[in-house]
Amino acid sequence: MNSVTIIWSMMASACLVLALVHGFVWFRRHEAVANLMFSLVAASTAGMSMMELWMLQANTVEEYGNASRWLHVPVWVLVVSLVGFVRSYLGTGGAWLGWAVCGLRTLSLVPNFLTGVSLNYQEITAVEKVRVFGLEVTRATGVPNPWMLLGQVSLVLLVVFVINASWKAWGGGAWRRAGAVGISLVAFVVAGTAQAVLVFWELTKMPLLVSPFFMGLMLVMAVELGVDVLRAERLARDLRGKDAELRDSQERLRLAADAANAGLWSLQGENGLVWATPKALEIFGLRPGPRYYLADLLRVIHPEDRERVEEMALKAQEAREVLRIEYRVVLADGRERWLTSWGRVWRREGNGAGDLMGVTVDVTERRALEDEMNRQRTELAHLSRVAALSELSGSLAHELNQPLAIILSNAQAGQRMLSQESPDLIELREIIADIISEDRRAGEVIRRLRAMLKRGEANRMPIAVNELIQEVLQLTRSDLIGRGVSVRRELAPELPLISGDRIPLEQVLLNLIINACDAVSGNGVGDRIVGIRSRLEGGAVHIAVEDNGCGLPEDAEAVFAAFYTTKPGGLGMGLSICRTIVGAHGGRIWGEKNGKGGATFHLSLPVAEKTA
Amino acid sequence: MNSPARVFIVDDDPGMLKSLERLLRAEGFAVSTFATAKDFLETYRSRDVGCLVLDVSMPGITGIELQEQLARSGGSLPIVFLTGHGDIPMSVRAMKGGAVDFLTKPVEDGDLFRAIRTALRKAAEGHAEACRREVLRQRLSELTPRELEVLKQVIAGKLNKQIAAELGTGEQNIKIHRGRVMKKMGVESLPELVRAAESLGVPPAGF
């Protein structure tokens, strides 16, 4: 067998195989148009090889002529499918240019079949065998067909088309593809065309040998497509890996959320469709299974909270940060549950309504604990009030005693007067008036006492600070006197009112004054001085209670700690409760050493806002 | 007696002051009232006879302090304390300081009157005693120096003979001096003389 036959047949079969493989790809996936185009390129190259073989083995002019005529059929297929391949593989390439190429090529088939011998030869004069590269092949001589120009122009345009497409693809970033396709296509087409031109214009003694060039092109294309396959395979592997990671991560998230008793959910923006973990459904008291929408969720929410929740969900669409809301749901059996939900909107591309995603936690227990804690705190405040008052029991007894003693003496004086011959009625009337007023005075003391001992509910009202101070001083008066403590007052006149709860604030002042008294009890007689000042500072009313007693520890804040006490048998709750009360009024309380060796406690309370 | 006995009331509570005044006046006492211990001290003269009704817990000078001050200045005004507390240590202190009584408010009229009468009695006795002493002092000042010496010897229990030897004069002179001393001092027996000398604080000779 002839070497030429072998080689050209091998080339043709290789191309056919490639054509089959890529045709198969297209058959399985109709979107893989590039593969179809490539398959056609390969098939036509195979056809071209066969025709070329025929030409190279031709022994007669006629044979050669036929071969050179039929050669142009596969060439036509090749050119058209090359255009198609470039377009589908690179996605670029001027459409009109492509059509021009195809059009010209198609047009060139007409003169190919109707004029002269073929597109290339008007007339073939002789054929001869020559030796090229050790191979014996046929070479023809004849008159070139002027219509050949059509074919050659189409090839030039093809080159331009390819360059244009590659350029655009390069610009678009697909530089590897563009490079591979563009350069190789251009190179091989140019080379092949050049060789053909040389042959047909008899500028060379070589026969037509285009196939090898196109073989080269095929190989490049095949490698390209092969690489694509490899890449796809790698992507698929990565994707599987990512997929597994994603599932893992989702599972961990779910476990964590379940463990924290948190339910995860998301609401689709467009239709309100709910996705929720089983835990989330459980928290909402919904059965797993059916599809739920926002409306279903709203239905289980407590009617009083529904509007608030809806508003919040709408607000979330605009907000950037996580929003939080607490509300109740009512379960099927009528029980209520307190929930806290956090959510944020996540928007996909575009400007549609984003998905609201979030977490919900059942906080019923926490709230119950908080309520209990508040209750106990109130109870403790009450107990400490009682304790503070019991420290004053001596003082209180005296406060009540005075009016009683006055009433008794007045009444007994009255009795005596009545047993006289002509009692002084005016004096008697005065006596009775005094008895009545003293009785009322006693009543006041008892009323105040009762108020302090009551488990109070918060009762804010405008309070004049100086009045408060005077009241507390009145309450402690006999105690102070009894302990030999002198009180210095510096109360600024016309202080603005503060808004507060009278009884707790009295308790705070009481505590401070009793503490000051205790602090100076170690001083010598006549040197026990407690000062009380009130003034306006900044936007707040400022009260200071100072003493010249035994001072404070280094860390002045320590005295405010719960259970801090210097008194044997003391509870140590006084100052810590004071701080709670003052805090609840929006004020501050702190202590510091003063220049007289003792302590000064400062109390700052915000001025009441004027209500229109 | 220079002036009738008075009850002085000091209490910082005006209501209390008025009611006590009424009560005591209705019972027939002469009453003067003061709102502070300072006011009282400015008015009181040590020759005023009477008693003091005093509230223990007052601002400024307390009741106990007033008691101490009066004692220091040598006054003899008996005190009845009133208190709204029932403080034991304070009452002990007051009683030790010489108070007549320590009553808690509200005070029954009967209890108050009883205490005041006791106090006034003490005051009267004290006053009488003071008057007597004054008379004796007056008499003592009229003794001549010699007679004073003789007095001191006599109350020491010495015999006339011993006194004569001691003072370097005759026994008869001593007898005369002795008679004159007895007469001037207004006593009739030796024990009386001794008591008089004692109350005046005249020491016997040799001691």
Side-chain angles (χ1 to χ4, degrees):
Chain A
M1 230 180 141
N2 200 312
S3 323
V4 175
T5 314
I6 296 173
I7 296 172
W8 258 248
S9 303
M10 272 168 51
M11 285 199 297
S13 356
C15 290
L16 273 177
V17 165
L18 280 173
L20 276 172
V21 164
H22 286 274
F24 180 71
V25 169
W26 172 79
F27 182 68
R28 287 302 295 263
R29 210 168 78 91
H30 287 303
E31 301 87 56
V33 176
N35 291 77
L36 173 65
M37 291 296 131
F38 183 73
S39 153
L40 287 174
V41 167
S44 55
T45 310
M48 221 170 65
S49 291
M50 292 317 293
M51 293 292 125
E52 215 172 57
L53 178 61
W54 194 6
M55 273 168 68
L56 292 172
Q57 302 285 59
N59 294 316
T60 67
V61 166
E62 228 177 309
E63 255 184 87
Y64 196 87
N66 278 338
S68 79
R69 195 182 311 126
W70 287 107
L71 176 65
H72 284 281
V73 173
V75 168
W76 179 87
V77 177
L78 179 61
V79 167
V80 171
S81 53
L82 264 178
V83 169
F85 176 73
V86 166
R87 279 224 33 131
S88 56
Y89 190 65
L90 292 179
T92 54
W96 64 267
L97 200 55
W99 283 116
V101 171
C102 295
L104 274 178
R105 200 73 225 181
T106 314
L107 222 51
S108 69
L109 282 179
V110 172
N112 179 48
F113 284 105
L114 296 182
T115 67
V117 175
S118 73
L119 187 63
N120 305 101
Y121 286 109
Q122 184 81 304
E123 197 188 320
I124 302 179
T125 46
V127 290
E128 52 178 342
K129 291 269 186 218
V130 294
R131 263 200 123 75
V132 176
F133 303 126
L135 302 166
E136 203 178 84
V137 293
T138 306
R139 186 173 159 278
T141 41
V143 179
N145 190 338
W147 289 108
M148 197 162 46
L149 204 58
L150 264 180
Q152 277 149 2
V153 169
S154 76
L155 286 178
V156 168
L157 280 180
L158 176 65
V159 168
V160 172
F161 173 77
V162 168
I163 292 178
N164 169 266
S166 307
W167 192 258
K168 278 214 209 126
W170 191 298
W175 60 269
R176 214 186 65 100
R177 271 193 185 188
V181 169
I183 292 175
S184 49
L185 248 181
V186 167
F188 287 116
V189 168
V190 166
T193 312
Q195 209 263 356
V197 164
L198 289 174
V199 166
F200 288 120
W201 287 103
E202 295 193 2
L203 297 169
T204 167
K205 288 267 183 259
M206 282 204 315
L208 188 67
L209 284 174
V210 262
S211 300
F213 294 106
F214 285 93
M215 221 20 234
L217 181 64
M218 295 298 323
L219 284 173
V220 171
M221 295 294 99
V223 165
E224 266 308 302
L225 285 169
V227 163
D228 271 350
V229 167
L230 283 172
R231 210 182 298 132
E233 202 245 349
R234 191 165 15 103
L235 277 174
R237 219 186 12 241
D238 278 349
L239 198 63
R240 269 198 305 277
K242 286 280 186 299
D243 202 38
E245 259 181 52
L246 187 65
R247 264 201 304 275
D248 268 346
S249 148
Q250 268 185 349
E251 194 51 36
R252 254 179 277 138
L253 191 63
R254 192 168 303 192
L255 278 173
D258 276 3
N261 253 342
L264 305 173
W265 47 264
S266 78
L267 289 174
Q268 258 184 39
E270 303 100 45
N271 52 13
L273 179 64
V274 170
W275 168 86
T277 56
K279 190 83 199 168
L281 290 176
E282 188 196 313
I283 290 178
F284 274 93
L286 294 171
R287 271 181 14 258
R291 282 188 148 199
Y292 289 109
Y293 288 85
L294 178 58
D296 300 309
L297 288 184
L298 287 175
R299 212 174 301 129
V300 290
I301 292 179
H302 197 284
E304 284 170 24
D305 300 332
R306 218 172 268 157
E307 207 177 298
R308 224 170 13 106
V309 174
E310 258 182 305
E311 263 177 45
M312 185 64 93
L314 281 173
K315 193 169 152 203
Q317 291 287 340
E318 266 111 74
R320 304 232 141 249
E321 69 281 338
V322 173
L323 295 179
R324 177 175 174 271
I325 185 173
E326 278 194 24
Y327 54 94
R328 286 159 290 180
V329 290
V330 183
L331 302 177
D333 57 11
R335 275 183 301 144
E336 280 179 19
R337 237 180 220 170
W338 272 99
L339 307 183
T340 302
S341 290
W342 291 263
R344 193 208 312 227
V345 164
W346 179 64
R347 230 166 267 243
R348 298 173 203 275
E349 299 109 38
N351 286 325
D355 297 342
L356 181 61
M357 302 211 234
V359 172
T360 298
V361 178
D362 181 348
V363 293
T364 315
E365 218 178 287
R366 193 206 76 198
R367 278 186 86 107
L369 279 174
E370 268 177 13
D371 285 342
E372 177 66 21
M373 209 170 65
N374 278 333
R375 202 189 55 77
Q376 285 194 353
R377 205 183 282 142
T378 314
E379 185 70 25
L380 189 58
H382 167 78
L383 283 174
S384 100
R385 252 207 303 284
V386 173
L389 281 176
S390 71
E391 279 189 39
L392 278 186
S393 59
S395 201
L396 282 171
H398 192 274
E399 285 292 301
L400 280 176
N401 249 344
Q402 285 291 89
L404 286 178
I406 295 173
I407 290 171
L408 182 60
S409 296
N410 269 319
Q412 287 181 327
Q415 267 183 332
R416 272 182 165 61
M417 285 180 197
L418 281 173
S419 64
Q420 287 163 3
E421 272 161 18
S422 44
D424 183 349
L425 286 177
I426 297 177
E427 181 104 45
L428 279 169
R429 225 175 261 137
E430 276 180 26
I431 286 177
I432 292 181
D434 280 353
I435 288 176
I436 291 173
S437 85
E438 286 304 318
D439 197 298
R440 289 205 177 112
R441 181 173 146 192
E444 251 310 290
V445 172
I446 295 194
R447 187 199 64 79
R448 240 186 287 131
L449 181 60
R450 202 184 279 138
M452 282 215 88
L453 287 172
K454 210 164 50 147
R455 280 175 178 75
E457 270 103 45
N459 187 15
R460 294 273 168 109
M461 56 175 74
I463 294 177
V465 162
N466 288 344
E467 245 176 61
L468 202 74
I469 294 179
Q470 303 281 31
E471 254 190 56
V472 175
L473 283 177
Q474 180 62 32
L475 201 62
T476 52
R477 193 168 157 276
S478 23
D479 208 51
L480 290 168
I481 292 173
R483 292 156 98 176
V485 173
S486 26
V487 174
R488 305 246 168 89
R489 262 170 271 226
E490 269 174 50
L491 306 179
E494 311 207 346
L495 286 173
L497 300 176
I498 60 169
S499 169
D501 209 341
R502 194 170 204 91
I503 304 301
L505 285 178
E506 273 187 13
Q507 181 181 355
V508 169
L509 281 174
L510 193 62
N511 221 299
L512 292 179
I513 291 174
I514 292 180
N515 284 353
C517 275
D518 289 339
V520 301
S521 58
N523 291 12
V525 170
D527 187 33
R528 300 179 193 152
I529 305 175
V530 169
I532 303 189
R533 285 199 306 277
S534 74
R535 67 180 188 279
L536 180 63
E537 196 167 280
V541 172
H542 191 108
I543 303 172
V545 176
E546 75 174 9
D547 63 71
N548 63 344
C550 52
L552 287 175
E554 259 318 305
D555 174 18
E557 278 298 297
V559 298
F560 287 96
F563 305 117
Y564 175 91
T565 180
T566 52
K567 295 183 220 175
L571 260 183
M573 294 309 293
L575 281 175
S576 107
I577 290 184
C578 285
R579 188 158 258 183
T580 309
I581 293 175
V582 172
H585 281 80
R588 284 172 54 224
I589 179 171
W590 71 100
E592 62 188 9
K593 288 195 187 148
N594 63 30
K596 307 183 176 86
T600 302
F601 278 85
H602 298 273
L603 187 53
S604 169
L605 293 163
V607 170
E609 282 152 18
K610 307 256 187 286
T611 47
Chain B
M1 296 266 201
N2 311 31
S3 47
R6 276 191 154 254
V7 181
F8 300 100
I9 314 182
V10 181
D11 194 317
D12 62 313
D13 186 334
M16 192 75 235
L17 210 51
K18 203 184 320 166
S19 66
L20 284 175
E21 187 182 13
R22 279 190 189 126
L23 185 60
L24 293 177
R25 282 236 173 88
E27 184 65 359
F29 290 105
V31 179
S32 294
T33 59
F34 305 90
T36 66
K38 195 152 159 277
D39 289 346
F40 168 71
L41 283 171
E42 275 162 16
T43 315
Y44 169 68
R45 300 276 165 272
S46 52
R47 56 181 153 74
D48 294 338
V49 180
C51 72
L52 190 50
V53 173
L54 194 46
D55 188 320
V56 160
S57 42
M58 291 188 293
I61 307 177
T62 67
I64 300 280
E65 280 168 7
L66 180 57
Q67 178 187 41
E68 285 166 5
Q69 249 186 43
L70 286 172
R72 271 199 299 274
S73 65
S76 63
L77 201 58
I79 304 179
V80 174
F81 276 107
L82 291 182
T83 179
H85 309 268
D87 194 352
I88 291 184
M90 203 185 287
S91 67
V92 165
R93 216 170 135 202
M95 296 310 281
K96 278 192 180 164
V100 168
D101 213 339
F102 195 90
L103 303 170
T104 48
K105 298 182 206 176
V107 62
E108 283 289 336
D109 53 1
D111 295 333
L112 185 59
F113 297 149
R114 204 173 313 124
I116 288 178
R117 288 201 173 98
T118 308
L120 286 177
R121 207 168 32 245
K122 259 187 88 179
E125 283 167 11
H127 184 79
E129 177 64 26
C131 284
R132 255 198 307 276
R133 208 176 300 133
E134 188 58 33
V135 166
L136 282 174
R137 201 173 288 122
Q138 187 64 28
R139 290 179 188 160
L140 187 70
S141 63
E142 280 166 20
L143 292 178
T144 66
R146 193 83 184 163
E147 282 164 356
L148 186 57
E149 274 178 44
V150 169
L151 173 71
K152 286 184 186 168
Q153 296 285 339
V154 164
I155 58 176
K158 303 265 178 72
L159 298 171
N160 291 345
K161 200 184 295 180
Q162 286 167 315
I163 299 174
E166 187 72 36
L167 294 182
T169 182
E171 198 179 324
Q172 193 49 42
N173 284 348
I174 296 301
K175 263 200 195 144
I176 298 170
H177 283 310
R178 195 180 173 129
R180 258 193 240 141
V181 164
M182 295 289 246
K183 188 155 170 232
K184 274 192 183 174
M185 289 303 286
V187 297
E188 287 178 8
S189 66
L190 179 55
E192 258 185 79
L193 185 64
V194 169
R195 264 201 302 279
E198 245 176 28
S199 69
L200 289 172
V202 178
F207 289 96

